[in-house]
């Protein structure tokens, strides 16, 4: 072996020489097909990273290029009440082209079918959107509907109620001819229509009764400036004045930044899910290298006999690992580019822009670089064992390798580098550094827990395996702890994939349970609101005439905070050290009553039932979370602006509120005797036994009282179900990469142990075992492996879901047993199929062929 590096006193470094490259190529002969399986595991992980990051780059470009279309104007102003005179004066001085829009929620009626539905009504003037366009079906309706005094109806309503162009829709007391179907509009994604479908009507033809006292509306003005003026300078000048007048504003730049932040968080989060697939692939490569090196011990020993140093010998296999990572990364990058084309379709409903496909070479380079780096780093761990191979192994195969020291500084250094690399990639992929650190810590915990459980199971099977009973069962279980077993690898690969899918299922079930309507007869599922004081008796009469009970009638008074603990809200909001001040800016809707409801629980203080109308300070009850946000407790004072009248109050009690209940829940509750004479409106709760009764009651109420709106809780549940289903699909699509990688790693692990399995099968055959017995042994082993992996993953998913339910969603955990059962069955059957496919034909191998190979 000319040119072979000789042993010397020089440090044992790893240098890639021509000899190392030649040996790496020669040594890979006969193993390249097997290496292809391990490369495939890297392909899937890199494909996920490249697809997500490239899509994110395309998305950022789309948002940047379509920023004006996202806003639909150069500048917008919005307020929850009509603009005051001062703001109208400022608007008049700005000039440019202007368009007004008023948005509010209202019941809409389709007279042809009699159907009703709560919708978002947008009363518009000509002009908006100044940039982009409203897409309709038929297309001509987008330009002609305002001129005809008609309406545009959301596609959701059209599909739900069978609405056709030419039908009419009634909003309030006025009817409008349906000119077209809304397909796409600026500032809104298709998912918005699931929560509240939209109906566009002319502002000039709006029934003003819908905007009476007690109604909530958003008043908006959109500007277009064709003289190239600096909009940011206008905002700098008017911004403080607009904020003081409680008028919000938005510019093209702010809109772009907001969407960039939101959408980059979306694709970065999905990228983290795909990153798991890459780690699993790296683990697969690490396991494969471990088995591969064990099979190459004779070759390594021979090289050592001829004087090769440990460094160049190890470099041979480092080069092979690098080649595996490079090939896998390049193929994965190509697959990721193809996959990138499908991603916009998966999340199209939540995207505000059209994303054009283009190859993001920076994202491709990042994916390839990360893939190769992680592969080589994970492969280094098993390659370190090459250092301990003795030349005597070439002469006597029974020579034991040098024992590993209690502390190996080289191994510790490699482990540290691997940990830092994984951490950096996680931070790079995450929406924020803190999220990336938390994600990496959680991922490490899950990996370590799975590895620990796998080690515990191997020990338990070895220690407590049955010593009697069926031989095939005992032998199958014994295979779980035999040399070169794949129990630990399977736990990591399939366990992670099962964990992701199971966590999504548990979270979805928990969130849907929060809005689910209980089946008992006392629980309301129909809510009527915006009922004026002189309409409440009439609405109750209509409901009773429809055969529905009136379960509750709740008065609501609108108010704002004037001061908190003696300090004015204006001073608090001006204090920049406080951070977020939404709780001081918002409008509160409070009620008065003399008792707690079923959804409330007193946690501190005394609930005061009544108070005198002329009380100097009124005792009130505060909800626990809003009290914490405001920084108040028992005995603290708050002063309220109740539509021009100041009402001093003191916190006498703190309540815990179950916001999941279909109930009128409030942040603040006043005692009876104080707010009865204040301007107010009411909410009435009822219950309908089925959809037909609910629809009939809503239609009857809307016919008599057009301004009254209703919410059907069963419809809310359907909306949440639709939203979660779409989110679930995207997450499960990404989790699929982890599952596929797990299966590929499993196939590689089975392939790695094929030689030993052949030996074992031939020995069993020689001892008289039938083919059926060998098959049953294999079935026991792989069923046990699959059950252990999927059970561990699901237990982690349920545990994590329980923590999320307890600390994030504040709700009991919900589990759908049939879904988890389907996951268990699917994974176990797949593991069994892979095991059976890899073992096909082993029994028919000649015994002498194997026995001679051992001699």
């Amino acid at each position: 072996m000319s040119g072979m590096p000789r042993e010397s006193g020089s440090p044992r470094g790893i240098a890639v020489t021509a000899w190392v490259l030649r040996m790496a190529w020669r040594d890979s002969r006969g193993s390249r097909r097997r290496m292809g399986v391990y490369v495939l595991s890297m392909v899937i992980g890199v494909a996920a990273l490249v697809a997500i990051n490239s899509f994110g780059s395309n998305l950022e470009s789309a948002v940047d290029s379509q920023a004006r279309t996202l806003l639909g104007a150069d500048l917008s102003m919005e307020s929850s009440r009509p603009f005051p005179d001062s703001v109208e004066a400022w608007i008049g001085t700005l000039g440019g082209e202007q368009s007004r829009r008023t948005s509010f929620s209202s019941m809409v009626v389709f007279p042809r079918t009699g159907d009703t539905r709560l919708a978002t009504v947008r009363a518009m003037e000509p002009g908006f959107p100044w940039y982009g366009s409203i897409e309709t079906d038929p297309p001509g309706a987008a330009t002609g509907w305002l001129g005809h005094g008609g309406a545009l109806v959301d596609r959701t309503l059209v599909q739900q109620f069978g609405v056709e162009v030419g039908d009419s829709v009634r909003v309030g007391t006025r009817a409008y001819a349906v000119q077209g179907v809304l397909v796409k509009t600026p500032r809104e994604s298709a998912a918005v229509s699931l929560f509240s479908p939209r109906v566009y009507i002319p502002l000039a033809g709006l029934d003003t009764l819908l905007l009476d006292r007690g109604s909530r509306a958003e008043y908006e003005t959109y500007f277009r400036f064709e003289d190239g003026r600096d909009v940011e300078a206008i905002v700098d000048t008017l911004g403080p004045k607009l904020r003081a007048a409680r008028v919000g504003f938005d510019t093209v730049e702010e809109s772009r930044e907001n969407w960039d932040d939101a959408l980059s968080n979306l694709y970065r989060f999905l990228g983290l899910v795909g990153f798991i697939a890459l780690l699993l692939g790296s683990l697969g490569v690490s396991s494969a290298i471990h088995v591969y090196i064990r099979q190459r011990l004779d070759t390594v020993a021979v090289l050592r006999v001829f004087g090769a140093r440990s460094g160049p010998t190890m470099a041979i296999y480092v080069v092979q690992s690098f080649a595996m990572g490079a090939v896998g990364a390049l193929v994965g990058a190509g697959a990721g580019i193809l996959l990138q084309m499908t991603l916009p379709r998966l999340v199209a409903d939540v995207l505000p822009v059209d994303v054009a496909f283009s190859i993001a070479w920076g994202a491709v380079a990042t994916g390839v670089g990360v893939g190769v780096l992680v592969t080589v780093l994970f492969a280094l761990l098993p390659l370190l064992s090459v250092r301990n191979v003795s030349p005597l192994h070439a002469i006597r195969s029974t020579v034991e390798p040098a024992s590993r020291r209690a502390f190996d500084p080289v191994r510790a250094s490699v482990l540290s580098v691997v940990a830092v690399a994984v951490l950096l990639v996680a931070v790079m992929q995450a929406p924020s550094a803190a999220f990336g650190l938390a994600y990496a810590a959680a991922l490490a915990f899950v990996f370590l827990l799975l590895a620990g459980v796998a080690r515990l199971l191997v020990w338990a099977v070895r220690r407590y395996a049955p010593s009697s009973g069926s031989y095939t069962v005992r032998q199958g279980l014994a295979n779980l702890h035999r040399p070169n077993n794949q129990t630990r690898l399977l736990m990591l690969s399939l366990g992670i994939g099962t964990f992701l899918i199971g966590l999504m299922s548990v979270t979805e079930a928990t969130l849907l349970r929060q809005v689910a309507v209980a089946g008992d007869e006392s629980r309301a599922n129909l809510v009527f609101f915006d009922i004026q004081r002189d309409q409440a008796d009439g609405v109750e009469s209509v409901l009773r005439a429809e055969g529905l009970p009136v379960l509750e009638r709740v008065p609501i008074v609108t108010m704002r905070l004037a001061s908190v603990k003696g300090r004015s809200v204006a001073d608090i909001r001006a204090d920049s050290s406080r951070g977020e001040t939404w709780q001081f800016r918002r409008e509160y809707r409070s009620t008065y009553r003399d008792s707690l409801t079923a959804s409330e629980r007193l946690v501190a203080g005394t609930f005061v039932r009544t108070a005198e109308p002329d009380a100097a300070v009124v005792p009130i009850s505060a909800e626990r979370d809003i009290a914490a946000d405001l920084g108040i407790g028992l005995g603290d004072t708050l002063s309220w602006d109740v539509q021009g009248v100041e009402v001093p109050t003191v916190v006498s009690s703190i309540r815990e509120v179950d916001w999941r209940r279909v109930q009128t829940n409030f942040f603040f509750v006043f005692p009876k005797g104080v707010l009865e004479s204040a301007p107010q409106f009411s909410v009435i709760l009822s219950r309908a036994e089925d959809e037909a009764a609910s629809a009939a009651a809503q239609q009857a109420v809307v016919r008599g009282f057009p301004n009254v709106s209703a919410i059907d809780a069963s419809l809310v549940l359907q909306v949440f179900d639709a939203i979660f289903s779409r989110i679930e699909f995207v997450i499960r699509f990404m989790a699929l990469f982890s599952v596929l990688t797990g299966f590929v790693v499993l196939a590689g692990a089975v392939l790695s142990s094929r030689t030993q399995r052949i030996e074992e099968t031939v020995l069993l055959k020689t001892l008289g075992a039938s083919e059926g017995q060998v098959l049953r042994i294999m079935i026991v082993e792989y069923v046990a492996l699959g059950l252990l992996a999927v059970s561990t993953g699901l237990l982690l998913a349920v545990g994590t879901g329980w923590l999320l339910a307890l600390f994030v969603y504040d709700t009991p955990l919900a589990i759908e047993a049939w879904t988890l059962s389907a996951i268990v069955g699917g994974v176990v059957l797949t593991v069994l199929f892979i095991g059976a496919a890899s073992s096909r034909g082993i029994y028919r191998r000649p015994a002498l062929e194997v026995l001679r190979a051992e001699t």
Side-chain angles (χ1 to χ4, degrees):
M1 293 188 179
S2 60
M4 177 181 293
R6 297 288 178 180
E7 193 75 62
S8 68
S10 60
R12 297 183 177 183
I14 298 178
V16 180
T17 64
W19 177 83
V20 168
L21 293 176
R22 288 196 305 272
M23 287 301 301
W25 176 257
R26 292 172 181 173
D27 186 70
S28 67
R29 293 171 181 171
S31 302
R32 293 167 191 167
R33 181 177 301 178
R34 187 186 314 164
M35 289 180 176
V37 177
Y38 312 133
V39 168
L40 181 58
S41 65
M42 294 304 305
V43 168
I44 299 174
V46 173
L49 279 185
V50 170
I52 291 295
N53 290 337
S54 296
F55 170 69
S57 179
N58 288 174
L59 190 56
E60 287 181 351
S61 299
V63 169
D64 290 343
S65 63
Q66 302 175 46
R68 275 189 166 81
T69 302
L70 287 174
L71 182 61
D74 292 315
L75 172 66
S76 69
M77 295 182 186
E78 56 275 340
S79 175
S80 59
R81 56 183 179 177
F83 294 135
D85 293 340
S86 58
V87 175
E88 290 289 358
W90 298 331
I91 290 175
T93 62
L94 289 177
E97 295 180 277
Q98 303 177 10
S99 178
R100 304 281 180 126
R101 186 173 83 172
T102 301
S103 302
F104 55 92
S105 295
S106 176
M107 298 298 291
V108 298
V109 182
F110 299 99
R112 182 175 66 85
T113 61
D115 293 308
T116 61
R117 172 74 189 269
L118 181 67
T120 297
V121 178
R122 303 206 188 283
M124 305 178 63
E125 285 185 345
F128 181 80
W130 295 115
Y131 302 101
S133 61
I134 298 175
E135 296 182 18
T136 61
D137 182 21
T143 57
W145 71 279
L146 274 173
H148 293 92
L152 298 178
V153 178
D154 198 291
R155 181 167 44 190
T156 301
L157 293 173
V158 171
Q159 295 172 347
Q160 182 177 6
F161 300 127
V163 179
E164 299 177 356
V165 174
D167 289 347
S168 62
V169 55
R170 193 170 77 242
V171 182
T173 60
R174 301 189 179 181
Y176 309 85
V178 177
Q179 300 289 322
V181 179
L182 281 171
V183 177
K184 188 175 182 180
T185 61
R187 307 196 77 175
E188 295 174 327
S189 62
V192 172
S193 63
L194 290 174
F195 285 104
S196 184
R198 302 148 295 176
V199 174
Y200 283 17
I201 61 174
L203 181 60
L206 177 64
D207 181 359
T208 56
L209 176 65
L210 298 172
L211 303 178
D212 274 357
R213 181 184 295 275
S215 300
R216 302 191 69 175
E218 190 77 15
Y219 298 87
E220 305 157 310
T221 300
Y222 294 91
F223 300 83
R224 178 170 68 177
F225 305 111
E226 295 186 332
D227 52 6
R229 72 181 70 184
D230 188 348
V231 177
E232 298 300 325
I234 295 175
V235 168
D236 290 341
T237 302
L238 285 181
K241 300 178 182 178
L242 292 173
R243 280 189 286 266
R246 295 175 179 170
V247 174
F249 51 88
D250 203 359
T251 65
V252 173
E253 183 62 22
E254 288 178 352
S255 178
R256 183 190 64 77
E257 291 176 356
N258 291 338
W259 277 110
D260 272 343
D261 292 341
L263 296 175
S264 64
N265 286 347
L266 168 67
Y267 77 77
R268 284 182 183 275
F269 171 75
L270 295 178
L272 285 174
V273 179
F275 179 52
I276 293 180
L278 181 62
L279 291 182
L280 289 176
S282 300
L283 286 173
V285 170
S286 177
S287 176
I289 293 295
H290 174 73
V291 176
Y292 183 68
I293 290 299
R294 288 177 64 90
Q295 296 172 350
R296 288 293 187 271
L297 290 180
D298 290 341
T299 302
V300 174
V302 168
L303 292 175
R304 300 282 285 142
V305 166
F306 281 94
R309 295 174 306 190
S310 59
T313 304
M314 184 176 173
I316 294 172
Y317 300 100
V318 172
V319 168
Q320 290 181 355
S321 302
F322 176 85
M324 290 171 60
V327 172
L330 291 173
V331 176
I337 292 173
L338 295 177
L339 179 63
Q340 176 192 348
M341 301 178 183
T342 67
L343 286 178
R345 300 176 186 175
L346 295 178
V347 294
D349 288 344
V350 297
L351 294 181
V353 293
D354 296 322
V355 181
F357 169 79
S358 64
I359 299 177
W361 293 111
V364 173
T366 299
V368 171
V370 170
V372 174
L373 173 65
V374 173
T375 301
V376 172
L377 288 178
F378 274 76
L380 280 177
L381 292 172
L383 287 177
L384 293 177
S385 62
V386 172
R387 299 173 302 157
N388 302 319
V389 176
S390 169
L392 288 176
H393 188 91
I395 303 172
R396 292 183 297 166
S397 61
T398 56
V399 171
E400 295 291 333
S403 59
R404 185 184 300 177
R405 289 174 289 179
F407 175 75
D408 187 344
V410 177
R411 180 173 292 275
S413 299
V414 173
L415 282 172
S416 300
V417 173
V418 170
V420 170
V422 171
L423 181 63
L424 290 176
V425 175
V427 171
M428 179 179 68
Q429 289 292 118
S432 65
F435 188 94
L437 291 172
Y439 185 86
L443 193 62
F445 173 78
V446 171
F447 267 82
L448 290 175
L449 186 60
L450 283 170
V453 170
R455 184 178 293 273
L456 178 63
L457 287 172
V458 171
W459 172 84
V461 170
R462 180 186 293 116
R463 180 72 175 80
Y464 299 105
S467 58
S468 61
S470 171
Y471 168 75
T472 56
V473 173
R474 289 185 285 115
Q475 183 65 28
L477 293 177
N479 283 346
L480 295 177
H481 59 79
R482 59 173 167 72
N484 293 331
N485 69 80
Q486 56 241 31
T487 304
R488 296 183 181 89
L489 179 61
L490 181 66
M491 281 290 187
L492 289 174
S493 58
L494 290 187
I496 286 290
T498 304
F499 166 73
L500 289 176
I501 294 181
L503 179 60
M504 187 62 214
S505 298
V506 170
T507 303
E508 179 190 23
T510 300
L511 293 177
L512 287 177
R513 178 72 61 86
Q514 283 191 284
V515 295
V517 181
D520 63 274
E521 296 181 358
S522 62
R523 187 69 62 84
N525 63 4
L526 197 54
V527 181
F528 295 90
F529 57 97
D530 284 347
I531 304 172
Q532 303 306 306
R533 186 186 293 228
D534 58 351
Q535 296 176 323
D537 292 338
V539 172
E540 289 189 2
S541 298
V542 171
L543 290 176
R544 292 193 178 96
E546 292 293 325
L548 270 61
V550 176
L551 301 178
E552 193 174 0
R553 174 173 165 179
V554 183
I556 298 178
V557 180
T558 302
M559 58 186 68
R560 288 184 179 274
L561 276 171
S563 65
V564 177
K565 294 192 288 190
R567 188 181 182 189
S568 72
V569 168
D571 289 343
I572 295 174
R573 292 177 57 189
D575 185 357
S576 59
S577 65
R578 287 197 63 93
E580 182 59 57
T581 60
W582 66 267
Q583 61 270 39
F584 299 97
R585 301 194 308 269
R586 63 162 290 152
E587 184 178 74
Y588 288 87
R589 292 189 166 191
S590 304
T591 191
Y592 55 89
R593 47 180 154 83
D594 58 4
S595 62
L596 297 174
T597 66
S599 62
E600 297 174 323
R601 182 176 69 89
L602 195 67
V603 295
T606 302
F607 185 82
V608 179
R609 300 176 183 276
T610 60
E612 296 298 324
D614 56 351
V617 180
V618 178
I620 62 173
S621 180
E623 189 269 338
R624 180 183 59 182
D625 293 335
I626 196 65
D629 290 335
L630 290 170
I632 59 175
L634 294 177
D636 288 335
T637 59
L638 301 92
S639 182
W640 297 91
D641 177 1
V642 184
Q643 301 180 45
V645 177
E646 184 173 351
V647 179
T649 63
V650 61
V651 178
S652 64
S653 66
I654 303 293
R655 294 165 298 117
E656 181 182 69
V657 177
D658 183 1
W659 297 99
R660 301 182 303 272
R661 298 283 293 268
V662 182
Q663 186 99 25
T664 49
N665 296 314
F666 298 90
F667 285 127
F668 293 96
V669 175
F670 284 66
K672 278 192 170 183
V674 178
L675 297 178
E676 278 78 355
S677 60
Q680 58 191 265
F681 61 97
S682 298
V683 169
I684 293 179
L685 277 66
S686 183
R687 180 174 181 81
E689 296 302 325
D690 51 44
E691 292 185 8
S694 174
Q698 293 180 61
Q699 292 167 16
V701 170
V702 172
R703 280 196 299 268
F705 307 94
N707 64 294
V708 175
S709 298
I711 295 178
D712 188 335
S714 60
L715 181 61
V716 172
L717 182 60
Q718 294 173 13
V719 169
F720 272 87
D721 191 19
I723 291 294
F724 291 141
S725 295
R726 297 189 183 195
I727 296 174
E728 176 191 25
F729 176 76
V730 174
I731 299 298
R732 285 185 174 173
F733 180 81
M734 295 310 304
L736 180 64
F737 285 98
S738 298
V739 176
L740 288 176
T741 306
F743 289 152
V744 171
V745 172
L746 170 62
V750 173
L751 186 61
S752 298
S753 63
R754 181 176 173 85
T755 301
Q756 182 173 356
R757 188 171 297 280
I758 292 174
E759 297 170 0
E760 176 185 315
T761 300
V762 168
L763 288 174
L764 289 173
K765 178 181 177 181
T766 303
L767 294 174
S770 67
E771 185 173 2
Q773 286 178 313
V774 173
L775 179 63
R776 287 193 294 274
I777 291 172
M778 182 272 296
I779 291 176
V780 169
E781 177 185 357
Y782 282 109
V783 168
L785 277 171
L787 285 175
L788 292 176
V790 73
S791 299
T792 305
L794 286 182
L795 284 175
L796 276 175
V798 171
T800 306
W802 175 76
L803 292 175
L804 290 174
L806 180 64
F807 296 107
V808 178
Y809 306 126
D810 192 22
T811 185
L813 178 68
I815 298 177
E816 291 183 348
W818 70 269
T819 302
L820 300 187
S821 300
I823 294 174
V824 172
V827 173
V828 171
L829 288 175
T830 304
V831 171
L832 187 59
F833 172 78
I834 293 176
S838 66
S839 302
R840 184 170 53 88
I842 288 181
Y843 186 82
R844 296 179 176 83
R845 294 289 295 272
L848 287 177
E849 176 184 334
V850 178
L851 294 176
R852 286 170 178 170
E854 289 294 300
T855 58

